[in-house]
Amino acid sequence: MYKIVSAIFLAENIKKIEIEAPRIAKKRKAGQFVMIRVGESGERVPLTIAGSDPEKGTITIIVQGMGKTTRELNSREAGETINDIVGPLGTPSHVENFGTAVSIGGGVGTAIAYPTAAALKEAGNYVITINGARSKELVILENEMKAVSDEAYITTDDGSCGFHGFVTQKLQELIDSGRKIDYVLAIGPIPMMKAVAEVTRPYGIRTVVSLNPIMVDGTGMCGGCRVTVGGETKFACVDGPEFDAHLVDYKNLSDRNKLYLPEEQQSSEGFTHRCRLAGKA
Amino acid sequence: MNEKTITTKERLAIPRQVMPAQDPEVRIHNFNEVHLGYSPEAAILEAQRCIQCKDPVCIKGCPVNIKIDEFIKLIAHGDFLGAARKIKEDNVLPAICGRVCPQEDQCEKTCVLTKKYTPVAIGNLERFAADYERETGNVELPRVKPPTGKKVAVIGSGPAGLSCANDLIQLGHAVTVFEALHELGGVLMYGIPEFRLPKEIVRTELEGLKKLGVQFVTNSVVGRSLTVDELFEEEGFDAVFIGVGAGLPWFMGITGENLLGVYSANEFLTRVNLMKSYDFPKHDTPVFNCKGKSVAVFGGGNTAMDAVRTAKRLGAEHAYIVYRRSMAEMPAREEEIHHAEKEGIEFLLLMNPVEFIGNDEQWLTGVKLLRMELGEPDDSGRRKPVPIPGSEFVLPIDMAIVSIGNGSNPLIKQTTPEIEVSRRDTIVVDINTMATSKENVYAGGDIVTGGATVILAMGAGRTAAKAIHEKLMGTDRGFNEW
Ligand SMILES: Cc1cc2nc3c(=O)[nH]c(=O)nc-3n(C[C@H](O)[C@H](O)[C@H](O)COP(=O)(O)OP(=O)(O)OC[C@H]3O[C@@H](n4cnc5c(N)ncnc54)[C@H](O)[C@@H]3O)c2cc1C
Ligand SMILES: Cc1cc2nc3c(=O)[nH]c(=O)nc-3n(C[C@H](O)[C@H](O)[C@H](O)COP(=O)(O)OP(=O)(O)OC[C@H]3O[C@@H](n4cnc5c(N)ncnc54)[C@H](O)[C@@H]3O)c2cc1C
Ligand code: SF4
Ligand code: FES
């Protein structure tokens, strides 16, 4: 059992949860994740470690309620526990001083990009962050991102905050303005990552994305998390989750992520129903 | 019959006792164990078939040299508990081994009756004695020696790790087992299905170890959560045993392997056994809905048989085994193949997949198969399958399960490079002691041999335990000074 130390909503449906896990807190590096099983009959789901406090022995995750598991997790409060956490898993982000590095986050992808953006800053890069959301209410980690950026931009689809448009448009603007960009990290919905890859491809800018295939063990045992990169099969939980954005087969990834749509819907509806009965939602 | 007065001729006249089993029509709709176990009468009769050879060659066929003639004699005399304890002198997991060992390639293969008659059902008797002891509540905890003050870390809770922990705790060492998953037991828990090995049996063994004082830490991936060096330096362990099992599943490298509906056997069995997706939506983890579908499993080992029979139980209309060679070359236990046939599994032999075919939404719809014929024997001594040109045809299927073996777990190698590994990334050990190239680090089981058997993993764990004890207590003869 792992104890939740604090749990607060950052935006509607996006919760920041701090959990006691001293070993993981001590070891984790930017870009790594944990597998979490909330309850006894729960699924194992991967969540990026957004931060840690080795002294306090805690890690932080930032969770977007998508389906049953993430919504159940987001219904937990400080003082409650979760059954299992294992990590840190995955290969840490490759961080060096590239020169000018752009970190792009879409939606909850901002939270996943945050630790790596911070590490890029620490490694001496000139860090530009572009964080996209559908609208103002969904913008997260604005101050945290500013603190690790030399330039920080926010984009919203509806123009309610920052730049009116997509993260890719902002990136294109930066490139068009003649800025020399050496490295791009893009994390968010699959179409966004694919679009960023297409923007940087003609300029040959080194671009990395963090992939989110369906995982089971997360330790390199089952082969379920396989993704196609450069025509080769890779296992995201051990070889990734970060890969060369220009080599990823995005279509295969988004197809494979639809494997359990009917079942996910069924679980999600069951959860909603139980919450209603409990008068919770 | 009075055991003392039975003549050899009379013994040979007793037919091999068949173990009762659930009817195939019934069992394909449930996950309960297929075999129901011997009655005491049947066990005694079967034990009386043993002619008590002067030179019991069956023992040489057993990887851990169980005193087979002695325990069978005890059963023949009706001393079932005595038999169980006799077996446990050499095998700490008899209820498990009696169920999953490939006896036809081991003790029963070398039994003298095999040539002219049918071998004594050694595996069934082993299982009977162990079940009797457990079911009558007579399992005695062994006595633990006084504490030595030494601490040993065991990585992985499969049969290799558990047997090593079992011996070390009894010798008085403090033992902590680190397991990557949220559940203990390794392949015994997440690989081999309930219908072959009830999980209750594995849990009983684990409870026994806990009572002896073994500490278990789940959710700890050595190489990620902590390293072998940290176990020594920060956690103060004196020795480490690595029993992390096999690693990532191999795929066939053919077109369409990432289509929706193509699984590895590891993933399929893990979802069903460990995550209990047969009980979806009560358990959250889903698995491909096999009901009324055509499922093809590629491979011919135990894992393939487990996968195909699981798919059948989940409601598959057609459940195929597609295997490159013929029935005679199949590595699975004879009994499993036999059970599979009875359950209506369709065997497509001498066929090799060349391509998976999918629809516009990328769901699997079929597999192109190429017919093979058997040629000359290859390195493994088995006749090599050769393709028959122009023999391709498409088999319509909805789900494919690839079960052609595993590579090695890379995590320890990556974080502890001084542990020598082979070209196949298995850990290199001195087979007398299971010592690796790193001081006070031992290894055994599938991580050393590649995918093998429960009994070999268990034997390796015990060999290592003995060597670790001698090393820590300063009584070794220095054969592991690398
Ligand atoms: C390496 C990695 C890091 C991630 N980090 C974060 C993070 O920091 N914050 C966050 O909010 N989300 C993160 N995700 C996504 C998160 O794991 C999924 O949203 C979550 O598993 C959905 O589960 P559910 O039951 O709530 O939803 P479901 O209704 O089950 O699924 C919704 C969608 O999530 C995906 N999904 C479902 N099950 C799994 C699974 N077992 N493993 C992976 N994906 C699955 C599928 O694409 C599915 O369509 C990460 C994913 C990966 C692979
Ligand atoms: C489906 C299936 C059916 C089989 N049927 C039979 C059969 O009928 N008869 C037979 O004799 N054999 C059978 N086998 C083979 C047999 O199960 C294995 O040979 C045996 O389990 C190997 O034991 P082990 O202890 O080496 O590894 P495993 O049983 O694989 O256990 C290793 C454990 O280590 C854990 N681990 C891995 N990496 C780490 C890490 N870095 N840190 C911490 N823990 C880690 C794993 O999670 C696992 O729990 C079968 C195998 C499978 C997959
Ligand atoms: S070889 Fe066969 S008959 Fe002889 S002792 Fe062993 S089990 Fe009995
Ligand atoms: S999640 Fe099982 S191998 Fe990656």
Side-chain angles (χ1 to χ4, degrees):
Chain A
M1 289 290 182
Y2 299 79
K3 199 169 145 215
I4 296 176
V5 178
S6 72
I8 45 164
F9 277 105
L10 298 181
E12 191 192 332
N13 211 20
I14 300 181
K15 201 167 194 175
K16 180 174 164 183
I17 306 173
E18 191 184 358
I19 309 168
E20 262 174 23
R23 271 212 177 104
I24 306 174
K26 209 171 71 182
K27 283 244 89 137
R28 71 99 197 180
K29 293 204 173 77
Q32 288 188 299
F33 62 94
V34 288
M35 294 297 292
I36 287 194
R37 201 171 70 117
V38 181
E40 197 43 50
S41 57
E43 191 171 8
R44 294 168 65 98
V45 298
L47 295 161
T48 304
I49 307 167
S52 69
D53 184 336
E55 251 127 69
K56 226 166 120 192
T58 61
I59 62 165
T60 303
I61 51 174
I62 296 176
V63 187
Q64 179 168 38
M66 292 284 293
K68 158 104 204 272
T69 309
T70 44
R71 284 167 56 205
E72 191 174 358
L73 190 53
N74 281 0
S75 72
R76 300 279 158 120
E77 304 293 347
E80 293 186 281
T81 57
I82 54 177
N83 264 47
D84 300 285
I85 301 188
V86 57
L89 301 170
T91 305
S93 303
H94 176 86
V95 174
E96 60 177 86
N97 189 347
F98 298 104
T100 299
V102 180
S103 158
I104 304 176
V108 78
T110 301
I112 305 180
Y114 169 69
T116 305
L120 285 167
K121 175 77 188 151
E122 196 159 312
N125 289 279
Y126 184 88
V127 174
I128 304 175
T129 55
I130 308 175
N131 295 305
R134 276 202 317 276
S135 65
K136 188 171 185 240
E137 300 74 47
L138 295 172
V139 173
I140 55 167
L141 302 183
E142 196 179 347
N143 293 328
E144 286 85 346
M145 275 296 185
K146 258 193 202 140
V148 299
S149 311
D150 292 282
E151 285 171 45
Y153 301 98
I154 284 169
T155 72
T156 48
D157 299 1
D158 63 1
S160 53
C161 178
F163 177 90
H164 184 169
F166 295 137
V167 287
T168 39
Q169 289 169 301
K170 185 73 216 173
L171 175 66
Q172 187 70 56
E173 214 183 77
L174 288 176
I175 295 173
D176 289 344
S177 73
R179 302 280 294 270
K180 187 174 160 304
I181 295 171
D182 303 290
Y183 180 85
V184 171
L185 168 75
I187 308 180
I190 296 169
M192 182 210 99
M193 294 194 284
K194 182 169 190 292
V196 169
E198 290 321 316
V199 169
T200 59
R201 193 190 302 274
Y203 308 95
I205 301 172
R206 179 168 177 176
T207 306
V208 165
V209 286
S210 178
L211 302 185
N212 59 340
I214 296 177
M215 294 186 175
V216 185
D217 56 307
T219 67
M221 182 268 280
C222 77
C225 62
R226 59 196 191 278
V227 289
T228 311
V229 181
E232 273 180 58
T233 293
K234 297 276 179 196
F235 299 97
C237 73
V238 280
D239 300 327
E242 288 183 6
F243 293 98
D244 183 336
H246 298 141
L247 299 179
V248 170
D249 181 342
Y250 296 96
K251 170 136 185 3
N252 186 239
L253 176 64
S254 73
D255 286 337
R256 282 184 64 81
N257 273 357
K258 294 188 191 118
L259 236 147
Y260 300 108
L261 276 184
E263 287 84 0
E264 285 160 2
Q265 225 150 24
Q266 193 184 341
S267 286
S268 199
E269 279 159 17
F271 182 71
T272 309
H273 183 69
R274 280 201 302 283
C275 288
R276 287 229 181 85
L277 287 183
K280 264 197 171 177
Chain B
M1 276 186 274
N2 183 334
E3 166 60 23
K4 291 217 175 75
T5 60
I6 318 173
T7 64
T8 301
K9 204 167 155 208
E10 282 169 335
R11 290 182 190 277
L12 292 175
I14 307 171
R16 179 167 157 130
Q17 299 296 300
V18 177
M19 186 177 281
Q22 275 196 72
D23 184 78
E25 278 308 311
V26 174
R27 70 187 189 230
I28 57 168
H29 301 293
N30 68 49
F31 276 85
N32 301 338
E33 192 175 13
V34 168
H35 267 154
L36 304 170
Y38 276 153
S39 64
E41 297 74 29
I44 291 176
L45 267 181
E46 183 60 34
Q48 286 175 342
R49 294 183 63 232
C50 171
I51 58 173
Q52 293 292 321
C53 301
K54 281 234 164 54
D55 174 20
V57 283
C58 50
I59 296 180
K60 295 194 187 101
C62 173
V64 299
N65 308 118
I66 295 175
K67 296 171 208 85
I68 296 171
D69 56 330
E70 294 180 33
F71 97 73
I72 292 183
K73 193 175 189 172
L74 288 163
I75 293 181
H77 286 287
D79 182 2
F80 306 144
L81 289 179
R85 286 172 195 152
K86 183 55 73 185
I87 300 170
K88 284 194 171 167
E89 289 173 13
D90 303 292
N91 180 345
V92 290
L93 305 169
I96 294 169
C97 292
R99 286 172 166 82
V100 306
C101 273
Q103 287 94 2
E104 74 272 13
D105 292 324
Q106 301 177 1
C107 52
E108 294 185 22
K109 183 178 183 182
T110 53
C111 170
V112 293
L113 302 190
T114 302
K115 273 202 196 115
K116 279 175 88 173
Y117 310 89
T118 48
V120 174
I122 302 170
N124 289 354
L125 289 173
E126 178 184 24
R127 167 191 163 144
F128 170 79
D131 284 358
Y132 184 89
E133 186 193 36
R134 187 183 70 255
E135 283 162 10
T136 56
N138 276 302
V139 178
E140 269 178 15
L141 281 190
R143 266 226 292 275
V144 171
K145 295 233 170 84
T148 60
K150 303 284 182 190
K151 276 175 73 179
V152 184
V154 170
I155 311 173
S157 64
L162 295 182
S163 59
C164 187
N166 179 67
D167 284 7
L168 287 168
I169 196 90
Q170 290 181 44
L171 290 163
H173 306 295
V175 182
T176 305
V177 178
F178 294 92
E179 167 58 48
L181 292 172
H182 59 265
E183 180 131 40
L184 300 167
V187 170
L188 304 177
M189 258 350 220
Y190 67 71
I192 304 179
E194 177 80 14
F195 60 82
R196 254 196 334 121
L197 177 64
K199 302 303 152 221
E200 206 39 54
I201 295 177
V202 186
R203 278 193 206 104
T204 309
E205 297 298 342
L206 290 165
E207 281 313 308
L209 289 175
K210 283 180 194 162
K211 280 190 202 138
L212 289 179
V214 176
Q215 300 285 322
F216 288 97
V217 186
T218 51
N219 296 323
S220 305
V221 186
V222 176
R224 292 269 198 233
S225 315
L226 70 180
T227 62
V228 172
D229 285 327
E230 286 164 356
L231 286 172
F232 286 113
E233 287 155 21
E234 291 172 25
E235 312 258 339
F237 286 99
D238 300 294
V240 172
F241 174 77
I242 303 172
V244 293
L248 268 170
W250 284 324
F251 286 87
M252 300 182 289
I254 63 177
T255 311
E257 224 155 17
N258 292 340
L259 286 168
L260 282 73
V262 183
Y263 284 74
S264 74
N266 278 19
E267 181 184 356
F268 179 62
L269 291 170
T270 301
R271 281 181 179 273
V272 179
N273 294 334
L274 180 74
M275 305 311 297
K276 306 191 174 68
S277 54
Y278 60 84
D279 197 19
F280 179 86
K282 259 208 215 134
H283 285 82
D284 292 345
T285 307
V287 71
F288 184 89
N289 187 348
C290 298
K291 229 172 234 123
K293 303 280 173 54
S294 294
V295 178
V297 177
F298 300 85
N302 284 319
T303 309
M305 290 309 138
D306 285 344
V308 78
R309 295 171 69 198
T310 298
K312 187 83 194 175
R313 282 162 173 74
L314 292 174
E317 172 156 11
H318 292 284
Y320 304 104
I321 282 282
V322 180
Y323 184 52
R324 292 189 309 145
R325 308 177 197 243
S326 73
M327 209 64 138
E329 284 85 20
M330 249 188 219
R333 293 179 79 222
E334 220 166 72
E335 192 170 67
E336 310 314 332
I337 298 174
H338 174 75
H339 281 158
E341 283 181 307
K342 283 261 166 81
E343 289 165 10
I345 304 304
E346 297 160 66
F347 286 79
L348 304 178
L349 303 172
L350 288 163
M351 286 184 206
N352 208 19
V354 284
E355 184 186 343
F356 289 116
I357 300 161
N359 63 15
D360 289 348
E361 277 94 52
Q362 301 296 303
W363 279 95
L364 178 74
T365 58
V367 59
K368 191 186 274 177
L369 298 175
L370 180 64
R371 291 181 199 278
M372 314 290 275
E373 58 192 353
L374 287 182
E376 297 298 306
D378 65 7
D379 296 346
S380 70
R382 297 180 299 179
R383 291 177 64 192
K384 197 180 151 82
V386 235
I388 305 175
S391 66
E392 291 100 335
F393 70 101
V394 173
L395 175 75
I397 51 170
D398 308 292
M399 181 195 199
I401 302 172
V402 180
S403 179
I404 57 165
N406 300 284
S408 298
N409 199 309
L411 275 185
I412 306 257
K413 173 187 129 178
Q414 281 167 11
T415 47
T416 321
E418 62 273 33
I419 296 179
E420 191 189 337
V421 294
S422 73
R423 253 187 308 138
R424 291 160 50 222
D425 275 353
T426 52
I427 295 181
V428 176
V429 297
D430 169 350
I431 55 160
N432 295 310
T433 60
M434 298 288 149
T436 69
S437 56
K438 186 174 167 75
E439 176 96 40
N440 288 349
V441 177
Y442 298 72
D446 283 1
I447 187 63
V448 167
T449 52
T453 59
V454 171
I455 190 72
L456 285 174
M458 205 198 78
R462 302 199 76 193
T463 305
K466 182 163 176 284
I468 290 170
H469 177 68
E470 287 171 358
K471 180 76 191 288
L472 294 184
M473 306 312 284
T475 54
D476 72 314
R477 288 171 297 282
F479 40 46
N480 50 5
E481 304 292 323
W482 286 60

